[in-house]
Each structure stands twice: as C-alpha cells, then as structure tokens.
Amino acid sequence: MAKENNIVHQYFKKEMPDGKILLRVNPILFKGTEIWVSAAGTEMRNLDFDADIFEDLKVDGFAEVNPMEFNLYLSGLIE
C-alpha cells in the first residue's frame, strides 16, 4: 500500500452561480478534501469516496485542474 505522502493527488473544480467547489482526491485511498468558496466565506471538509468518484465528478461537471488554486485556499493565502 502506498504511503499517504507518496501519493500524487488529483484536483478538480466546479464553478457555480453562488460559488465554486475545489476538490483534492487521493486516487489510491479514495479520500479527499473539498473547499467551498462563496461570498459568505470558505468552508472545508474531508470526504471519503468510492471507486466511481472520477466518473461521478465527470457527470457532475467537474473539470480536472492544477493544484495551485486549491492549495492557495488550503493554506489561507486567499480567502
């Protein structure tokens, strides 16, 4: 089993009228972190997924993106 710090995460984003969702997915352990960004502020939560996560994200309109924006929000450099 791969160690958590040796896994290359995948990043996704979905823009909506009232905000955006940024998502980091661990493609081995099927765990992730979601950041919801809206005019009211930023919320973060940890999630567990199943093996169908990538198909589900595609159907739900998420686009695969680079990790920069996600990590800026995660580190608190932008709000």
Side-chain angles (χ1 to χ4, degrees):
M1 178 66 80
K3 290 184 179 180
E4 178 71 25
N5 59 350
N6 293 334
I7 296 172
V8 176
H9 292 86
Q10 291 178 262
Y11 296 83
F12 299 87
K13 180 178 178 179
K14 181 175 180 179
E15 297 274 354
M16 295 179 286
D18 55 342
K20 60 185 165 187
I21 299 173
L22 302 166
L23 188 63
R24 176 177 63 191
V25 177
N26 176 322
I28 306 298
L29 302 176
F30 298 113
K31 295 184 178 287
T33 303
E34 175 189 83
I35 299 175
W36 166 248
V37 180
S38 70
T42 302
E43 298 175 31
M44 184 174 60
R45 64 183 180 143
N46 293 317
L47 304 168
D48 292 313
F49 304 114
D50 61 26
D52 296 326
I53 183 58
F54 299 108
E55 184 61 32
D56 294 343
L57 290 170
K58 187 176 183 179
V59 168
D60 289 341
F62 280 81
E64 192 163 3
V65 296
N66 72 51
M68 184 179 289
E69 185 176 12
F70 179 93
N71 285 304
L72 287 170
Y73 279 104
L74 182 66
S75 67
L77 291 174
I78 55 177
E79 296 179 3

Coordinates of all heavy atoms in Angstrom, one line a residue:
M1 N 0.9 -1.2 0.0 CA 0.0 0.0 0.0 C 0.9 1.2 0.0 O 1.9 1.3 0.7 CB -0.9 0.0 1.2 CG -1.8 1.2 1.4 SD -3.1 1.4 0.2 CE -4.4 0.2 0.7
A2 N 0.5 2.2 -0.8 CA 1.3 3.5 -0.9 C 1.2 4.3 0.4 O 0.1 4.3 0.9 CB 0.9 4.3 -2.1
K3 N 2.2 4.9 0.8 CA 2.2 5.8 1.9 C 1.4 7.1 1.5 O 1.5 7.5 0.3 CB 3.6 6.2 2.4 CG 4.3 5.0 3.0 CD 5.6 5.5 3.6 CE 6.3 4.4 4.3 NZ 7.6 4.8 4.8
E4 N 0.7 7.7 2.4 CA -0.1 8.9 2.2 C 0.8 10.0 1.5 O 0.3 10.7 0.6 CB -0.7 9.4 3.4 CG -1.5 10.7 3.3 CD -2.8 10.5 2.5 OE1 -3.4 9.4 2.5 OE2 -3.3 11.5 2.0
N5 N 2.0 10.2 2.0 CA 2.8 11.3 1.4 C 3.5 11.0 0.1 O 4.1 11.8 -0.5 CB 3.9 11.7 2.5 CG 4.8 10.6 2.9 OD1 4.6 9.5 2.5 ND2 5.8 10.9 3.6
N6 N 3.3 9.8 -0.4 CA 3.9 9.4 -1.7 C 2.8 9.4 -2.8 O 3.1 9.0 -3.9 CB 4.5 8.0 -1.6 CG 5.7 8.0 -0.7 OD1 6.4 9.0 -0.6 ND2 6.0 6.8 -0.2
I7 N 1.6 9.8 -2.5 CA 0.5 9.8 -3.5 C 0.4 11.1 -4.2 O 0.4 12.2 -3.6 CB -0.8 9.4 -2.8 CG1 -0.7 8.0 -2.2 CG2 -2.0 9.5 -3.7 CD1 -1.8 7.6 -1.3
V8 N 0.2 11.0 -5.5 CA 0.0 12.3 -6.3 C -1.5 12.4 -6.4 O -2.2 11.6 -7.0 CB 0.6 12.1 -7.7 CG1 0.3 13.4 -8.5 CG2 2.1 11.9 -7.6
H9 N -2.0 13.5 -5.7 CA -3.4 13.8 -5.7 C -3.9 14.3 -7.0 O -3.1 14.9 -7.8 CB -3.7 14.8 -4.6 CG -3.5 14.2 -3.2 ND1 -2.3 14.2 -2.6 CD2 -4.4 13.6 -2.3 CE1 -2.4 13.7 -1.4 NE2 -3.7 13.3 -1.2
Q10 N -5.2 14.2 -7.2 CA -5.8 14.8 -8.4 C -6.7 15.9 -7.9 O -7.3 15.8 -6.9 CB -6.6 13.8 -9.2 CG -5.6 12.8 -9.9 CD -6.4 11.7 -10.6 OE1 -6.6 10.6 -10.1 NE2 -6.8 12.0 -11.8
Y11 N -6.8 17.0 -8.7 CA -7.6 18.2 -8.3 C -8.7 18.5 -9.4 O -8.5 18.4 -10.6 CB -6.6 19.4 -8.2 CG -5.6 19.2 -7.1 CD1 -4.4 18.4 -7.4 CD2 -5.8 19.7 -5.9 CE1 -3.5 18.2 -6.3 CE2 -4.9 19.5 -4.8 CZ -3.7 18.8 -5.1 OH -2.8 18.5 -4.1
F12 N -9.8 19.0 -8.8 CA -11.0 19.2 -9.7 C -11.6 20.5 -9.2 O -11.5 20.9 -8.0 CB -12.0 18.1 -9.6 CG -11.4 16.8 -10.0 CD1 -10.7 16.0 -9.2 CD2 -11.6 16.4 -11.3 CE1 -10.2 14.8 -9.6 CE2 -11.0 15.2 -11.8 CZ -10.3 14.4 -10.9
K13 N -12.4 21.1 -10.1 CA -13.0 22.4 -9.8 C -14.4 22.4 -10.5 O -14.5 22.0 -11.6 CB -12.2 23.6 -10.3 CG -12.7 24.9 -10.0 CD -11.7 26.0 -10.5 CE -12.2 27.4 -10.3 NZ -11.2 28.3 -10.8
K14 N -15.4 23.0 -9.8 CA -16.7 23.3 -10.5 C -17.1 24.7 -10.1 O -17.2 25.0 -8.9 CB -17.7 22.2 -10.0 CG -19.0 22.4 -10.6 CD -20.0 21.3 -10.3 CE -21.3 21.6 -10.9 NZ -22.3 20.5 -10.6
E15 N -17.4 25.5 -11.1 CA -17.9 26.9 -10.9 C -19.4 26.8 -10.9 O -20.0 26.1 -11.7 CB -17.4 27.8 -12.0 CG -15.9 27.9 -12.1 CD -15.4 29.0 -11.2 OE1 -16.2 29.8 -10.6 OE2 -14.2 29.2 -11.1
M16 N -20.0 27.5 -9.9 CA -21.5 27.6 -9.9 C -21.9 29.1 -9.6 O -21.0 29.9 -9.3 CB -22.0 26.7 -8.7 CG -21.7 25.3 -9.0 SD -22.3 24.2 -7.7 CE -21.0 24.5 -6.4
P17 N -23.1 29.4 -9.9 CA -23.5 30.8 -9.7 C -23.2 31.4 -8.3 O -22.9 32.6 -8.2 CB -25.0 30.8 -10.0 CG -25.2 29.6 -10.8 CD -24.2 28.6 -10.4
D18 N -23.3 30.6 -7.3 CA -23.2 31.1 -5.9 C -21.8 30.8 -5.3 O -21.6 31.1 -4.1 CB -24.3 30.6 -5.0 CG -24.4 29.1 -5.0 OD1 -23.9 28.4 -6.0 OD2 -25.0 28.5 -4.1
G19 N -20.9 30.2 -6.1 CA -19.6 29.9 -5.6 C -18.8 28.9 -6.4 O -19.2 28.6 -7.5
K20 N -17.8 28.3 -5.8 CA -17.1 27.2 -6.5 C -16.7 26.2 -5.5 O -16.5 26.4 -4.3 CB -15.9 27.8 -7.3 CG -14.9 28.5 -6.4 CD -13.8 29.1 -7.3 CE -13.0 30.1 -6.5 NZ -12.0 30.8 -7.3
I21 N -16.5 25.0 -6.1 CA -16.0 23.8 -5.3 C -14.6 23.5 -5.8 O -14.5 23.2 -7.0 CB -17.0 22.6 -5.4 CG1 -18.3 23.0 -4.8 CG2 -16.4 21.4 -4.6 CD1 -19.4 21.9 -5.1
L22 N -13.7 23.4 -4.9 CA -12.3 22.9 -5.3 C -12.2 21.6 -4.5 O -12.5 21.4 -3.4 CB -11.3 23.9 -4.8 CG -11.4 25.3 -5.4 CD1 -10.6 26.3 -4.6 CD2 -11.0 25.3 -6.8
L23 N -11.7 20.6 -5.2 CA -11.6 19.2 -4.7 C -10.3 18.6 -4.9 O -9.7 18.6 -6.0 CB -12.7 18.4 -5.3 CG -13.0 17.0 -4.8 CD1 -13.5 17.1 -3.4 CD2 -14.0 16.3 -5.7
R24 N -9.7 18.0 -3.8 CA -8.5 17.2 -3.9 C -8.8 15.8 -3.7 O -9.4 15.5 -2.6 CB -7.4 17.7 -2.9 CG -6.2 16.9 -2.9 CD -5.1 17.4 -1.9 NE -5.7 17.3 -0.5 CZ -5.1 17.9 0.5 NH1 -4.0 18.6 0.3 NH2 -5.6 17.8 1.7
V25 N -8.4 14.9 -4.6 CA -8.8 13.5 -4.4 C -7.5 12.6 -4.4 O -6.6 12.8 -5.2 CB -9.6 13.0 -5.6 CG1 -9.9 11.5 -5.5 CG2 -10.9 13.8 -5.7
N26 N -7.5 11.8 -3.4 CA -6.4 10.8 -3.3 C -6.9 9.6 -4.1 O -7.8 8.9 -3.8 CB -6.2 10.4 -1.8 CG -5.2 9.3 -1.6 OD1 -5.1 8.3 -2.4 ND2 -4.5 9.4 -0.6
P27 N -6.3 9.3 -5.3 CA -6.8 8.3 -6.2 C -6.5 6.9 -5.8 O -7.0 5.9 -6.4 CB -6.0 8.6 -7.5 CG -4.8 9.2 -7.1 CD -5.1 10.0 -5.8
I28 N -5.7 6.7 -4.7 CA -5.4 5.3 -4.2 C -6.3 5.0 -3.0 O -6.9 3.9 -3.0 CB -3.9 5.2 -3.8 CG1 -3.0 5.7 -4.9 CG2 -3.6 3.8 -3.2 CD1 -3.0 4.8 -6.1
L29 N -6.4 5.9 -2.1 CA -7.2 5.6 -0.9 C -8.7 6.1 -1.0 O -9.5 5.9 -0.1 CB -6.6 6.3 0.3 CG -5.1 5.9 0.6 CD1 -4.5 6.7 1.8 CD2 -5.1 4.4 0.9
F30 N -9.0 6.8 -2.1 CA -10.3 7.4 -2.3 C -10.8 8.3 -1.1 O -11.9 8.2 -0.7 CB -11.3 6.3 -2.6 CG -11.0 5.5 -3.9 CD1 -10.6 4.2 -3.8 CD2 -11.0 6.2 -5.1 CE1 -10.3 3.5 -5.0 CE2 -10.7 5.5 -6.3 CZ -10.3 4.2 -6.2
K31 N -9.9 9.1 -0.7 CA -10.2 10.1 0.3 C -9.9 11.5 -0.3 O -9.2 11.6 -1.3 CB -9.4 10.0 1.5 CG -9.6 8.7 2.3 CD -8.8 8.6 3.5 CE -9.2 7.3 4.3 NZ -10.5 7.3 4.9
G32 N -10.6 12.5 0.2 CA -10.3 13.8 -0.4 C -10.7 15.0 0.6 O -11.2 14.8 1.7
T33 N -10.4 16.2 0.1 CA -10.8 17.4 0.8 C -11.5 18.3 -0.2 O -11.1 18.5 -1.4 CB -9.5 18.1 1.3 OG1 -8.8 17.2 2.1 CG2 -9.8 19.4 2.0
E34 N -12.6 18.8 0.3 CA -13.4 19.8 -0.5 C -13.4 21.1 0.1 O -13.5 21.3 1.3 CB -14.9 19.3 -0.5 CG -15.8 20.2 -1.2 CD -17.3 19.9 -1.0 OE1 -17.8 20.2 0.1 OE2 -17.8 19.2 -1.8
I35 N -13.1 22.1 -0.7 CA -13.2 23.5 -0.3 C -14.3 24.2 -1.1 O -14.3 24.2 -2.3 CB -11.9 24.3 -0.5 CG1 -10.7 23.6 0.2 CG2 -12.0 25.7 -0.1 CD1 -9.3 24.2 0.0
W36 N -15.3 24.8 -0.3 CA -16.4 25.5 -0.9 C -16.1 27.0 -0.7 O -15.8 27.4 0.4 CB -17.7 25.1 -0.2 CG -18.8 26.1 -0.5 CD1 -19.4 26.9 0.4 CD2 -19.5 26.3 -1.7 NE1 -20.4 27.6 -0.2 CE2 -20.5 27.2 -1.5 CE3 -19.4 25.7 -3.0 CZ2 -21.3 27.6 -2.6 CZ3 -20.2 26.1 -4.0 CH2 -21.2 27.1 -3.8
V37 N -16.1 27.7 -1.8 CA -15.7 29.2 -1.8 C -17.0 29.9 -2.3 O -17.4 29.7 -3.4 CB -14.5 29.5 -2.7 CG1 -14.2 31.0 -2.6 CG2 -13.3 28.6 -2.3
S38 N -17.5 30.8 -1.4 CA -18.6 31.7 -1.8 C -18.4 33.1 -1.2 O -17.5 33.3 -0.5 CB -19.9 31.1 -1.3 OG -20.0 31.2 0.1
A39 N -19.4 33.9 -1.5 CA -19.3 35.3 -1.0 C -19.4 35.3 0.6 O -18.9 36.2 1.2 CB -20.4 36.1 -1.5
A40 N -20.0 34.2 1.1 CA -20.1 34.1 2.6 C -18.8 33.7 3.3 O -18.7 33.7 4.5 CB -21.2 33.2 2.9
G41 N -17.9 33.2 2.5 CA -16.6 32.7 3.0 C -16.2 31.4 2.5 O -16.7 30.9 1.4
T42 N -15.3 30.7 3.1 CA -14.7 29.5 2.7 C -14.9 28.4 3.7 O -14.7 28.6 4.9 CB -13.2 29.6 2.5 OG1 -12.9 30.7 1.5 CG2 -12.5 28.4 2.0
E43 N -15.4 27.2 3.3 CA -15.6 26.1 4.2 C -14.8 24.9 3.6 O -14.7 24.7 2.4 CB -17.1 25.7 4.2 CG -18.0 26.8 4.8 CD -19.4 26.5 4.7 OE1 -19.8 25.2 4.8 OE2 -20.3 27.3 4.5
M44 N -14.3 24.1 4.5 CA -13.6 22.9 4.1 C -14.1 21.7 4.9 O -14.4 21.8 6.0 CB -12.1 23.1 4.4 CG -11.2 22.0 3.9 SD -9.4 22.3 4.1 CE -9.3 22.5 5.9
R45 N -14.1 20.6 4.1 CA -14.4 19.3 4.8 C -13.7 18.1 4.1 O -13.3 18.2 3.0 CB -15.9 19.1 4.8 CG -16.5 18.9 3.4 CD -18.0 18.7 3.5 NE -18.6 18.6 2.2 CZ -19.6 17.8 1.9 NH1 -20.2 17.1 2.8 NH2 -20.0 17.7 0.6
N46 N -13.4 17.1 4.9 CA -12.8 15.9 4.4 C -13.9 14.9 4.0 O -14.9 14.8 4.7 CB -11.9 15.3 5.5 CG -10.7 16.2 5.8 OD1 -10.1 16.7 4.9 ND2 -10.4 16.4 7.1
L47 N -13.6 14.2 2.9 CA -14.6 13.3 2.4 C -14.0 11.9 2.1 O -12.8 11.8 1.9 CB -15.1 13.8 1.0 CG -15.7 15.2 1.1 CD1 -15.9 15.8 -0.3 CD2 -17.0 15.2 1.8
D48 N -14.8 10.9 2.1 CA -14.5 9.5 1.7 C -15.2 9.2 0.4 O -16.4 9.6 0.3 CB -14.9 8.5 2.7 CG -14.0 8.6 4.0 OD1 -12.8 8.7 3.8 OD2 -14.6 8.6 5.1
F49 N -14.6 8.6 -0.6 CA -15.2 8.3 -1.9 C -15.2 6.8 -2.1 O -14.6 6.1 -1.4 CB -14.4 9.0 -3.0 CG -14.2 10.5 -2.8 CD1 -13.0 11.0 -2.6 CD2 -15.3 11.3 -2.9 CE1 -12.8 12.4 -2.5 CE2 -15.2 12.7 -2.8 CZ -13.9 13.3 -2.6
D50 N -15.9 6.5 -3.2 CA -15.8 5.1 -3.7 C -15.1 5.1 -5.0 O -14.6 6.1 -5.5 CB -17.2 4.4 -3.8 CG -18.1 5.1 -4.8 OD1 -17.6 5.8 -5.7 OD2 -19.3 5.0 -4.6
A51 N -14.9 3.9 -5.6 CA -14.1 3.8 -6.8 C -14.7 4.5 -8.0 O -14.0 4.7 -9.0 CB -13.9 2.3 -7.1
D52 N -15.9 4.9 -7.9 CA -16.6 5.6 -9.0 C -16.4 7.1 -9.0 O -17.0 7.8 -9.8 CB -18.1 5.2 -9.0 CG -18.4 3.8 -9.3 OD1 -17.6 3.1 -10.0 OD2 -19.3 3.2 -8.7
I53 N -15.6 7.6 -8.1 CA -15.5 9.0 -7.9 C -15.2 9.8 -9.2 O -15.8 10.8 -9.5 CB -14.5 9.4 -6.8 CG1 -14.5 10.9 -6.6 CG2 -13.2 8.9 -7.1 CD1 -15.8 11.6 -6.2
F54 N -14.3 9.3 -10.0 CA -13.9 10.0 -11.2 C -15.0 10.1 -12.2 O -15.2 11.2 -12.9 CB -12.6 9.5 -11.8 CG -11.5 9.5 -10.7 CD1 -11.0 8.4 -10.1 CD2 -10.9 10.8 -10.4 CE1 -10.0 8.5 -9.2 CE2 -9.9 10.9 -9.4 CZ -9.5 9.7 -8.8
E55 N -15.7 9.1 -12.4 CA -16.9 9.1 -13.3 C -18.0 10.0 -12.7 O -18.6 10.8 -13.5 CB -17.5 7.7 -13.5 CG -18.6 7.6 -14.5 CD -18.2 8.1 -15.9 OE1 -17.1 7.9 -16.3 OE2 -19.1 8.6 -16.6
D56 N -18.2 10.0 -11.4 CA -19.2 10.8 -10.8 C -18.8 12.3 -11.0 O -19.7 13.1 -11.2 CB -19.3 10.5 -9.3 CG -19.8 9.2 -9.0 OD1 -20.5 8.6 -9.9 OD2 -19.7 8.7 -7.8
L57 N -17.5 12.7 -10.8 CA -17.1 14.0 -11.0 C -17.3 14.5 -12.4 O -17.8 15.6 -12.7 CB -15.6 14.2 -10.6 CG -15.3 14.1 -9.1 CD1 -13.8 14.0 -8.9 CD2 -16.0 15.2 -8.3
K58 N -17.1 13.6 -13.4 CA -17.3 14.0 -14.8 C -18.7 14.2 -15.1 O -19.1 15.3 -15.7 CB -16.7 12.8 -15.7 CG -16.8 13.1 -17.1 CD -16.1 11.9 -17.9 CE -16.1 12.2 -19.3 NZ -15.4 11.1 -20.1
V59 N -19.6 13.4 -14.6 CA -21.0 13.5 -14.8 C -21.5 14.8 -14.1 O -22.4 15.5 -14.6 CB -21.8 12.3 -14.2 CG1 -23.3 12.5 -14.1 CG2 -21.5 11.1 -15.1
D60 N -21.0 15.2 -12.9 CA -21.4 16.3 -12.2 C -20.8 17.7 -12.7 O -21.0 18.7 -12.2 CB -21.1 16.2 -10.7 CG -21.9 15.2 -10.0 OD1 -23.0 14.8 -10.6 OD2 -21.5 14.7 -9.0
G61 N -20.0 17.6 -13.8 CA -19.5 18.8 -14.4 C -18.2 19.3 -13.8 O -17.9 20.5 -14.0
F62 N -17.4 18.5 -13.1 CA -16.2 19.0 -12.5 C -15.1 18.9 -13.6 O -15.1 18.0 -14.4 CB -15.7 18.1 -11.4 CG -16.4 18.5 -10.1 CD1 -17.7 18.0 -9.8 CD2 -15.8 19.3 -9.1 CE1 -18.3 18.3 -8.6 CE2 -16.4 19.6 -7.9 CZ -17.7 19.1 -7.7
A63 N -14.2 19.8 -13.6 CA -13.1 19.8 -14.6 C -11.8 19.5 -13.8 O -11.6 20.0 -12.7 CB -12.9 21.2 -15.3
E64 N -10.9 18.7 -14.4 CA -9.6 18.5 -13.7 C -8.7 19.7 -13.9 O -8.7 20.3 -15.0 CB -8.9 17.3 -14.3 CG -7.8 16.8 -13.5 CD -7.3 15.4 -13.8 OE1 -7.9 14.7 -14.7 OE2 -6.4 14.9 -13.1
V65 N -8.1 20.2 -12.8 CA -7.3 21.4 -12.8 C -6.0 21.2 -12.1 O -5.8 20.1 -11.5 CB -8.1 22.6 -12.1 CG1 -9.3 22.9 -12.9 CG2 -8.4 22.2 -10.7
N66 N -5.1 22.2 -12.2 CA -3.8 22.0 -11.5 C -4.1 22.4 -10.0 O -5.1 23.0 -9.6 CB -2.7 22.9 -12.1 CG -2.9 24.4 -11.9 OD1 -3.1 24.8 -10.8 ND2 -2.9 25.1 -13.0
P67 N -3.1 22.0 -9.1 CA -3.4 22.2 -7.7 C -3.2 23.6 -7.1 O -3.5 23.8 -5.9 CB -2.3 21.2 -7.1 CG -1.2 21.2 -8.1 CD -1.9 21.3 -9.4
M68 N -2.8 24.5 -7.9 CA -2.4 25.8 -7.3 C -3.5 26.5 -6.6 O -3.4 26.9 -5.4 CB -1.9 26.8 -8.4 CG -1.4 28.1 -7.8 SD -0.7 29.2 -9.0 CE 0.8 28.4 -9.4
E69 N -4.7 26.7 -7.2 CA -5.8 27.4 -6.6 C -6.2 26.7 -5.3 O -6.4 27.3 -4.2 CB -7.0 27.6 -7.5 CG -8.1 28.4 -6.9 CD -9.2 28.7 -7.9 OE1 -9.3 28.0 -9.0 OE2 -10.1 29.5 -7.6
F70 N -6.4 25.4 -5.4 CA -6.8 24.6 -4.2 C -5.8 24.9 -3.0 O -6.2 25.2 -1.9 CB -6.8 23.1 -4.5 CG -7.2 22.3 -3.3 CD1 -8.5 21.9 -3.1 CD2 -6.2 21.8 -2.4 CE1 -8.8 21.1 -2.0 CE2 -6.6 21.1 -1.3 CZ -7.9 20.7 -1.1
N71 N -4.5 24.8 -3.3 CA -3.5 25.0 -2.2 C -3.4 26.4 -1.7 O -3.1 26.6 -0.5 CB -2.2 24.4 -2.7 CG -2.1 22.9 -2.7 OD1 -2.4 22.3 -1.7 ND2 -1.9 22.3 -3.8
L72 N -3.7 27.4 -2.5 CA -3.8 28.7 -2.0 C -4.9 28.9 -1.0 O -4.7 29.5 0.0 CB -3.9 29.7 -3.2 CG -2.7 29.9 -4.1 CD1 -3.0 30.7 -5.3 CD2 -1.6 30.6 -3.3
Y73 N -6.1 28.4 -1.3 CA -7.2 28.4 -0.3 C -6.8 27.6 0.9 O -7.1 28.0 2.0 CB -8.5 27.9 -1.0 CG -9.2 29.0 -1.8 CD1 -9.1 28.9 -3.2 CD2 -9.9 30.0 -1.2 CE1 -9.7 29.9 -3.9 CE2 -10.5 31.0 -2.0 CZ -10.4 30.9 -3.3 OH -11.0 31.9 -4.1
L74 N -6.3 26.4 0.7 CA -6.0 25.5 1.8 C -5.0 26.1 2.8 O -5.2 26.0 4.0 CB -5.4 24.2 1.3 CG -5.1 23.1 2.3 CD1 -6.4 22.6 3.0 CD2 -4.3 22.0 1.7
S75 N -4.0 26.8 2.3 CA -3.0 27.5 3.1 C -3.5 28.8 3.7 O -2.8 29.4 4.6 CB -1.7 27.7 2.3 OG -1.9 28.7 1.3
G76 N -4.6 29.3 3.3 CA -5.2 30.6 3.8 C -4.6 31.8 3.1 O -4.8 32.9 3.6
L77 N -3.8 31.6 2.0 CA -3.2 32.8 1.3 C -4.3 33.6 0.6 O -4.1 34.8 0.3 CB -2.1 32.3 0.4 CG -0.9 31.8 1.1 CD1 0.1 31.2 0.1 CD2 -0.2 32.9 1.9
I78 N -5.4 32.9 0.2 CA -6.5 33.7 -0.4 C -7.8 33.2 0.4 O -7.8 32.1 0.8 CB -6.7 33.5 -1.9 CG1 -6.7 32.1 -2.3 CG2 -5.5 34.2 -2.6 CD1 -6.9 31.9 -3.8
E79 N -8.7 34.1 0.5 CA -10.0 33.7 1.2 C -11.2 34.0 0.3 O -11.2 34.7 -0.6 CB -10.1 34.6 2.4 CG -9.1 34.3 3.4 CD -9.2 35.1 4.7 OE1 -10.1 35.9 4.8 OE2 -8.3 35.0 5.5

